[in-house]
Amino acid sequence: MNREVEVVVTGVGAVTCHGAGADTLWRAMTAAGTRLPDRPADPLARMDLPFIGLVPDPDLAADRATRFASLATAEALADAGLDAAALATARTAVVLGSCMGEPGANERGRGDDGAWTPPFRLAGALATELGLFGTVHDIGNACAAGAYALGIAADLVRAGVADVVIAGGSDAYSRVALGCFNRLGAVDPERCRPFEADRDGTVFAEGAGILVVESAAHARARGVTTGDGRGVLRLSAVAWSCDADHPTAPRADGEQIVRAMREAVGGAADDIGCVVPHGTGTRLNDVMESRALHRVLGARAARVPLYSLKALLGHAGGASAALAAVAAALILRHGTVPPNVPLKEQDPECAVALPQGEPVPLPAGARRVLVNAYGFGGNNASVVLAGSADAVGLRAGKGGVPV
């Protein structure tokens, strides 16, 4: 592993309940509107609160997670300026996170045809579609899976195993997942409302977020510069930890999520200009994360703007951290933090800054965005994306010339 290898993000793609495309996501972020969850057209979803933010795609029986990943990947590759020929000549890996994999065929079947397909086949399906022969990984670290995928992508690049990694996450409607959260009593009857005083759980959503991760050297060699409008970013750090405590609840002292955040932020907490929190809307998580942010950012924690993505989309499970990283990339590219979906009343136990009404500019000296992700089993991960031309050694007008 060579930690001196610079890792960059050269393309992003997204599919959400607001539609396909990172631009569609950005428009939804800047509009800050309230979207109520959908009820899936599934007669077997017999539960009190069958709520989810569905991607506008009516076929619930199809391989939805694979389609979402494929669509987001096509956008990310185009954004990065990579086509099939370029991927074929590079060492290209695929790493995708997901809570449920591809649950459609197994959950909609009734077992009478004897057929069963492995649910975690997203990365393999995507590699097959693209004709790739490099490393392929599906990551199942619960709702932190997308962040773990980014960490493994960075490690593959730094280890010299891959030049390019298609990394991110995808999750689709799952009757089992919704049923489990209903049985846990962890579904908000209104919508996903992180940091609200009267929030009562989370609400799931479908979606996929994909990032093209590659070495800065490879990006330079193929002529990527900061002057071509792609908004190249640095994947500054990914850190992870495990609570080793409770199967569903975060550890009470928050020590391990603080550790992951500190390792990701490093010694430059003052450079964090925005946080995209995990922020599920569950009572324990939001309070724990707010307190942890104060331990990591110090007095600035009450002023550093948070962008609460799940208030806009709902909780996209294993795709949520990847979508949060896409949102962070868009914030860095545009240089502003969009207004949050308006809160009725913020929980006084969550003393964090959630700008509403107007966007907040990212300070010139704080162009790093921290993304947090936490999952069942105590899976914690924090990612830092940085936006700086000089930081990645890609300067305008130097196409194809290492600098």
Side-chain angles (χ1 to χ4, degrees):
M1 186 77 65
N2 184 355
R3 296 199 174 276
E4 299 302 316
V5 172
E6 198 78 69
V7 182
V8 296
V9 172
T10 51
V12 298
V15 174
T16 73
C17 58
H18 292 273
D23 285 345
T24 300
L25 173 59
W26 181 250
R27 285 195 296 273
M29 290 169 69
T30 53
T34 298
R35 185 190 186 283
L36 298 178
D38 305 294
R39 285 177 175 264
D42 181 356
L44 297 178
R46 296 166 188 159
M47 56 195 81
D48 292 337
L49 300 170
F51 298 153
I52 184 171
L54 293 171
V55 169
D57 180 337
D59 188 357
L60 286 181
D63 281 355
R64 295 171 71 82
T66 303
R67 284 215 307 266
F68 300 158
S70 175
L71 194 58
T73 297
E75 182 190 18
L77 291 174
D79 190 35
L82 285 165
D83 56 19
L87 289 179
T89 57
R91 295 174 300 164
T92 305
V94 181
V95 186
L96 294 183
S98 183
C99 276
M100 303 303 291
E102 187 60 89
N106 294 322
E107 292 188 7
R108 247 61 79 202
R110 303 294 294 170
D112 53 358
D113 59 359
W116 182 85
T117 54
F120 280 86
R121 59 184 190 275
L122 300 178
L126 194 56
T128 300
E129 177 184 318
L130 297 170
L132 302 176
F133 300 95
T135 301
V136 171
H137 283 304
D138 279 297
I139 308 297
N141 286 47
C143 297
Y148 275 77
L150 289 172
I152 291 170
D155 284 352
L156 288 172
V157 170
R158 289 182 178 131
V161 175
D163 303 312
V164 178
V165 186
I166 298 166
S170 184
D171 253 317
Y173 168 65
S174 162
R175 186 192 310 143
V176 171
L178 260 62
C180 288
F181 264 69
N182 268 264
R183 290 295 299 270
L184 285 168
V187 180
D188 191 294
E190 184 176 332
R191 58 183 177 83
C192 194
R193 300 179 296 145
F195 308 107
E196 284 274 14
D198 64 346
R199 68 194 182 282
D200 200 20
T202 196
V203 171
F204 275 124
E206 295 184 307
I210 298 292
L211 298 90
V212 175
V213 176
E214 61 183 308
S215 70
H218 186 267
R220 283 194 299 268
R222 67 183 183 87
V224 174
T225 76
T226 57
D228 56 13
R230 291 179 192 152
V232 178
L233 305 169
R234 182 205 288 181
L235 184 53
S236 179
V238 182
W240 46 46
S241 66
C242 180
D243 284 355
D245 190 54
H246 191 278
T248 59
R251 184 168 142 166
D253 62 9
E255 191 64 32
Q256 292 306 315
I257 69 172
V258 168
R259 176 185 152 216
M261 263 197 276
R262 281 181 172 155
E263 289 183 4
V265 167
D270 288 347
D271 291 346
I272 298 297
C274 174
V275 177
V276 184
H278 187 59
T280 57
T282 56
R283 301 204 69 80
L284 283 176
N285 178 85
D286 294 353
V287 172
M288 181 65 63
E289 187 172 14
S290 299
R291 291 172 178 168
L293 282 166
H294 277 265
R295 291 173 62 184
V296 174
L297 302 179
R300 292 184 69 242
R303 303 191 303 274
V304 174
L306 268 62
Y307 182 73
S308 178
L309 185 63
K310 291 183 180 67
L312 183 76
L313 304 181
H315 188 349
S320 62
L323 282 167
V326 171
L330 297 175
I331 287 168
L332 286 162
R333 285 181 175 183
H334 290 273
T336 60
V337 182
N340 283 281
V341 173
L343 294 164
K344 290 180 293 186
E345 180 184 357
Q346 187 168 337
D347 185 345
E349 290 193 82
C350 300
V352 290
L354 292 155
Q356 298 170 60
E358 298 292 334
V360 175
L362 273 180
R367 294 183 66 83
R368 297 204 306 159
V369 178
L370 170 67
V371 175
N372 289 332
Y374 310 124
F376 280 180
N379 288 294
N380 312 306
S382 290
V383 177
V384 174
L385 281 179
S388 167
D390 291 337
V392 296
L394 303 170
R395 297 188 175 86
K398 297 287 186 183
V401 180
V403 294

